[in-house]
Amino acid sequence: MDIRYFDNAATTPVKEAVLEEMFPFLSVEYGNPSSIYGLGRRAKRAIEEARSRVASLLKCKPNEIIFTSCGTESDNMALKGMAMFQKNINSGKNHIITSKIEHPAILNTCSTLEEQGFEVTYLDVDKNGFVNIETLMNSISDKTFLISIMYANNEIGTIEPIYKIAKIAKSHGVIFHTDAVQAVGNVDIDVKKMGIDMLSLSGHKLYAPKGVGALYVREGIELKKFLDGGHQEKDKRAGTENVAEIVALGKACELAEKNLDEYIIKLKGFRDYFFNQITQKLKNIRINGDLEKRLPGNCNICFEGIESSDLLLKLDAVGICASGGSACSSGDSAPSHVLSAIGVPNNIAKGALRISFGDFNTMEDVEFLVSTIEDIISTQN
Ligand code: PLP
């Protein structure tokens, strides 16, 4: 049976060109980048090349990129690193603003910080998942040191008004971090033009392997070091570098930058075709998230009267991989916190299906997906 993979927001397959580039660093080029002989120097050079490629995709300077082990680590580093820095310098600031629809990597980091005495405001979002700019502005106090709002939501694909949020943060002297794990490689990001101070990304959402990520930290911003140990990553993140994966991330970013326009057009084509067909062919459905300001490959639909676990098993039986919400919450019977936040009633949220298209999909796959869903839902109703 052929596998048709529509869960690219959970993870992406690794591209051949990425594998090829990383492979020598898992075999012959095994040097430690801290070693001074040729083998070590070549590993170091490969890391610096990767850093430049990541920086080029985000349009920042290479020295503003810190490699991490994943998006979750990048989020933790940004929030805890900044919180501990404020504590160390006795800034008197203890307040963070975030939203109710963030990924658990942000939400759970915030609750840990609350246990340590920090205060967190969790902003509501509207029915399409947007943070309200005025509410955000009214939530800032003289104790606020950080605003962390995701670039694009992992379940419903809504793209937040990042430029406006960054502008407000700047005008109040507050640092702005964005979890862009779902956005990098899917939208054009210019951290300088947009006024972003810190940005998290993850390799496995853009065709590099799992286990590598990065945090962009604008020059001049200081974080309390999160992992203690050696002086790697210019003393910002200890631990011998994961050279092969860093090289892979660099290559994935280079490919993303080169192909971004075409990629967006391709994914939007699949997405819009899927939405059109499903809304024409089926009744009692609800599309979640904004239709315009949305990740190019994201579709999120609720089918009334359907349990998404049932639907996913039936799709799996014909080789279709999709998700009921985010990968992190699948297997969890509680309704998605994102769908609850946008006001989807629990009985409808239970029937949510997230489809996320990727580079390896074809139009024929998408047609197969539509007709399979149509068959399953119409025989169930
Ligand atoms: N943030 C968002 C928005 C995500 O979608 C994910 C993963 O799905 C993460 C953070 C965590 O990234 P990682 O899996 O690399 O830890």
Side-chain angles (χ1 to χ4, degrees), residues 60-61 63-66 74 77-86 89 145-147 166 169-170 173-178 191-192 195-199 215-225 233-236:
C60 65
K61 296 182 193 162
N63 67 358
E64 294 175 310
I65 298 295
I66 305 169
S74 301
M77 186 189 276
L79 270 60
K80 292 178 182 165
M82 182 50 69
M84 293 310 148
F85 177 74
Q86 297 298 324
I89 62 165
F145 62 90
L146 183 71
I147 296 173
K170 190 168 184 200
V174 174
I175 298 289
F176 173 50
H177 165 257
T178 186
V191 288
K192 300 293 171 191
I196 297 168
D197 294 315
M198 294 196 278
L199 176 147
L215 180 68
Y216 153 75
V217 182
R218 178 173 58 72
E219 212 168 42
I221 291 182
E222 284 188 65
L223 298 177
K224 168 89 174 75
K225 198 171 167 184
E233 291 295 281
K234 301 196 178 68
D235 210 18
K236 290 177 176 145

Side-chain angles (χ1 to χ4, degrees), residues 44-148:
K44 174 115 189 108
R45 219 176 296 132
I47 290 178
E48 294 317 314
E49 170 71 17
R51 201 184 308 281
S52 299
R53 288 170 166 178
V54 178
S56 172
L57 178 64
L58 301 179
K59 304 181 183 65
C60 65
K61 296 182 193 162
N63 67 358
E64 294 175 310
I65 298 295
I66 305 169
F67 288 114
T68 65
S69 66
C70 57
T72 301
E73 185 190 329
S74 301
D75 286 343
N76 272 264
M77 186 189 276
L79 270 60
K80 292 178 182 165
M82 182 50 69
M84 293 310 148
F85 177 74
Q86 297 298 324
K87 212 170 198 171
N88 277 6
I89 62 165
N90 284 322
S91 69
K93 294 182 187 266
N94 71 343
H95 179 226
I96 298 172
I97 301 173
T98 187
S99 82
K100 287 191 177 164
I101 62 165
E102 300 293 314
H103 187 272
I106 293 289
L107 293 176
N108 292 337
T109 299
C110 284
S111 56
T112 296
L113 289 172
E114 283 180 298
E115 285 164 16
Q116 294 172 12
F118 290 91
E119 281 176 23
V120 182
T121 299
Y122 298 90
L123 298 176
D124 285 321
V125 292
D126 70 11
K127 66 181 189 347
N128 286 337
F130 292 117
V131 159
N132 182 288
I133 293 296
E134 219 165 292
T135 317
L136 167 69
M137 212 141 55
N138 294 335
S139 305
I140 299 174
S141 76
D142 55 1
K143 298 267 186 228
T144 312
F145 62 90
L146 183 71
I147 296 173
S148 180

Side-chain angles (χ1 to χ4, degrees), residues 9-10 69-73 75 103 105 150 152-154 179 181-182 202-205 212 328:
S69 66
C70 57
T72 301
E73 185 190 329
D75 286 343
H103 187 272
M150 70 199 322
N153 184 265
N154 45 304
D179 174 346
V181 165
Q182 292 291 336
S202 175
H204 74 106
K205 311 290 184 179
V212 65
C328 315

Side-chain angles (χ1 to χ4, degrees), residues 26 42 83 100 104 185 201 225 228 261 295 316 318 353 372 378:
L26 291 169
R42 286 200 296 279
K100 287 191 177 164
L201 65 92
K225 198 171 167 184
D228 292 314
D261 293 344
L295 287 173
D316 183 40
V318 291
L353 175 71
T372 309
S378 34

Side-chain angles (χ1 to χ4, degrees), residues 261-276:
D261 293 344
E262 276 168 52
Y263 184 64
I264 292 173
I265 292 170
K266 175 164 145 186
L267 263 51
K268 272 187 178 166
F270 295 152
R271 181 193 74 188
D272 296 343
Y273 174 83
F274 178 80
F275 275 147
N276 276 336

Side-chain angles (χ1 to χ4, degrees), residues 1 99 260 339:
M1 183 170 61
S99 82
L260 191 62
L339 297 182

Side-chain angles (χ1 to χ4, degrees), residues 344-359:
V344 182
N346 286 355
N347 63 321
I348 296 179
K350 279 191 317 192
L353 175 71
R354 180 187 71 182
I355 297 291
S356 43
F357 297 111
D359 219 9

